[in-house]
Amino acid sequence: ETAQVTTYFRMGTNLTLGTDWVRSGSMHMMRELACADYLSQNFYGRYFSALTLWKMVTVNAATAQVVSSRIGTLQRGRVADIAIYRRKVMDPFRSLITSDPQDVALTMRAGRVLQGDPAVAGALAPSCESIDICGTMRAVCLSGEGTTLAALRASVSVPSMVRAGRNGTPMAAACRRTARAKFVHSHTSTVPDS
């Protein structure tokens, strides 16, 4: 059932977006943004702007978690959790909403590079390791976390549906499901009963 989000928004409710677990929801925030945008554009008369949706995953989410004094906006003295995306269209917020995982140029946590495009992440953190994620080579930078990709894989029991792999491995199947869901969702003419 879909919440009455336009009513809540008009009432001044702090709306946020987040991911669900993979079996019933989205694998990543970009997919959540795309779904929310689809509902807004096709069922709510374009009620939520790209900027409003962006706020739902940044400052609104930080406010809801009572951490907005540390994260949620880029300001001096705050934790530098940053994600940089390739710009696809002129409106930067619309560009984010239409992004796919391969459009993430760089992800940082507390000012340290975590992952990204090999050319970008590798220039900032030379100790990054390569990994194939959904058919796109990414640089994963774990030395600042005190580990390596191999050590992380060996020490953590990762559910098979989220392990990285190629051609028929569980991650490749999850990537195909996400791409298929995105296509099906963008060609659907119904909305869940409310």
Side-chain angles (χ1 to χ4, degrees):
E1 186 171 315
T2 302
Q4 299 299 314
V5 291
T6 55
T7 301
Y8 296 145
F9 187 77
R10 281 192 305 272
M11 293 172 59
T13 302
N14 179 36
L15 297 179
T16 67
L17 287 171
T19 58
D20 293 327
W21 69 309
V22 176
R23 292 185 192 265
S24 68
S26 299
M27 181 180 270
H28 49 75
M29 285 304 303
M30 290 170 284
R31 176 77 178 114
E32 284 296 322
L33 280 166
C35 288
D37 184 55
Y38 176 83
L39 285 172
S40 177
Q41 298 227 6
N42 293 283
F43 298 100
Y44 302 142
R46 300 179 190 267
Y47 191 85
F48 298 107
S49 69
L51 172 60
T52 299
L53 292 171
W54 174 79
K55 286 181 177 180
M56 289 181 190
V57 300
T58 56
V59 66
N60 292 10
T63 299
Q65 295 295 314
V66 195
V67 293
S68 60
S69 64
R70 296 187 312 266
I71 65 171
T73 59
L74 296 176
Q75 290 180 301
R76 174 171 270 175
R78 294 193 180 198
V79 177
D81 290 346
I82 301 169
I84 300 172
Y85 298 81
R86 285 183 181 71
R87 188 175 224 169
K88 296 168 80 172
V89 296
M90 283 303 294
D91 177 355
F93 305 107
R94 172 73 33 215
S95 190
L96 171 67
I97 290 169
T98 61
S99 290
D100 292 305
Q102 61 269 25
D103 296 320
V104 178
L106 185 69
T107 303
M108 301 174 78
R109 184 176 66 211
R112 288 187 304 215
V113 175
L114 288 181
Q115 71 90 24
D117 181 270
V120 177
L124 298 171
S127 61
C128 297
E129 301 172 76
S130 294
I131 185 172
D132 181 319
I133 300 177
C134 293
T136 302
M137 290 309 295
R138 309 304 293 171
V140 178
C141 313
L142 298 172
S143 64
E145 304 297 314
T147 190
T148 64
L149 184 58
L152 183 64
R153 284 178 170 160
S155 69
V156 177
S157 175
V158 180
S160 63
M161 65 188 309
V162 296
R163 282 193 195 121
R166 292 177 168 230
N167 302 328
T169 62
M171 180 54 129
C175 293
R176 285 192 301 274
R177 280 193 306 275
T178 299
R180 189 170 46 251
K182 189 170 191 174
F183 174 80
V184 168
H185 190 71
S186 67
H187 291 83
T188 300
S189 61
T190 61
V191 68
D193 294 328
S194 53

